[in-house]
């Protein structure tokens, strides 16, 4: 395959990926979001959210934070670049960089944990809203007033 052919194929693949848009709950458009002929299916471009997906994403974020925490950088790795093994300016810069990297690492772990917590709260709110909507619907159906055929 020549470079031009490969480049054309890569561009076509990128355009195809771009046209599919965002997929919620990992459903392909034809699996549940296309609406093509199925009257109960949502229209293309609509958002479909499920509590299981929200909670699964929250669990995934906290799992990533846990894995990052387990693989945290070892602060003792900078001992090889300390005085007298290295020039004191080099040692100071390595220590400065290691401190900065450690801070960035801790920020990333905290961010994943915070996003997970926020997503879990959102999932709980989503379930509550769905329950409230179903409850209001049932109340409307059950609280209807009876009119006899003669009174209509």
């Amino acid at each position: 395959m020549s470079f031009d052919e490969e480049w054309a194929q890569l561009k076509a693949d990128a355009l195809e990926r771009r046209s599919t848009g965002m997929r919620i709950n990992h459903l392909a458009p034809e699996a549940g979001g296309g609406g093509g002929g199925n009257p109960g299916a949502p229209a293309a471009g609509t958002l479909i959210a499920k509590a299981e997906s929200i909670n699964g994403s929250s669990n995934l974020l906290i799992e990533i934070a846990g894995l990052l925490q387990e693989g945290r950088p070892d602060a003792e790795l900078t001992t090889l670049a300390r005085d007298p093994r290295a020039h004191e300016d080099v040692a100071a810069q390595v220590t400065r960089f290691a401190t900065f990297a450690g801070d960035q690492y801790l920020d990333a772990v905290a961010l994943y944990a915070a996003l997970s917590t926020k997503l879990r709260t959102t999932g709980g709110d989503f379930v509550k809203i769905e329950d409230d909507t179903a409850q209001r619907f049932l109340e409307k159906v059950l609280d209807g007033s009876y009119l006899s055929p003669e009174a209509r």
Side-chain angles (χ1 to χ4, degrees), residues 2-61:
S2 73
F3 174 78
D4 292 331
E5 292 171 338
E6 186 176 357
W7 181 249
Q9 181 63 38
L10 288 171
K11 286 190 335 187
D13 291 345
L15 284 174
E16 182 180 329
R17 280 192 308 271
R18 186 174 174 193
S19 67
T20 59
M22 178 185 246
R23 294 181 187 161
I24 305 297
N25 294 334
H26 308 290
L27 292 176
E30 58 275 354
N38 186 356
T46 59
L47 177 69
I48 301 171
K50 295 181 182 178
E52 298 86 21
S53 175
I54 293 171
N55 287 336
S57 298
S58 172
N59 292 338
L60 181 63
L61 286 173

Side-chain angles (χ1 to χ4, degrees), residues 108-119:
V109 171
L111 178 66
Y112 278 120
L115 286 173
S116 172
T117 302
K118 193 68 168 173
L119 196 56

Side-chain angles (χ1 to χ4, degrees), residues 24-100:
I24 305 297
N25 294 334
H26 308 290
L27 292 176
E30 58 275 354
N38 186 356
T46 59
L47 177 69
I48 301 171
K50 295 181 182 178
E52 298 86 21
S53 175
I54 293 171
N55 287 336
S57 298
S58 172
N59 292 338
L60 181 63
L61 286 173
I62 202 68
E63 185 177 333
I64 290 171
L67 290 172
L68 280 174
Q69 185 62 30
E70 286 177 11
R72 62 189 169 274
D74 187 8
E76 296 302 316
L77 290 176
T78 60
T79 58
L80 295 175
R82 288 190 184 151
D83 196 32
R85 291 184 177 153
H87 191 273
E88 58 186 63
D89 289 340
V90 173
Q93 290 301 321
V94 168
T95 302
R96 181 174 164 253
F97 176 75
T99 303
F100 173 76

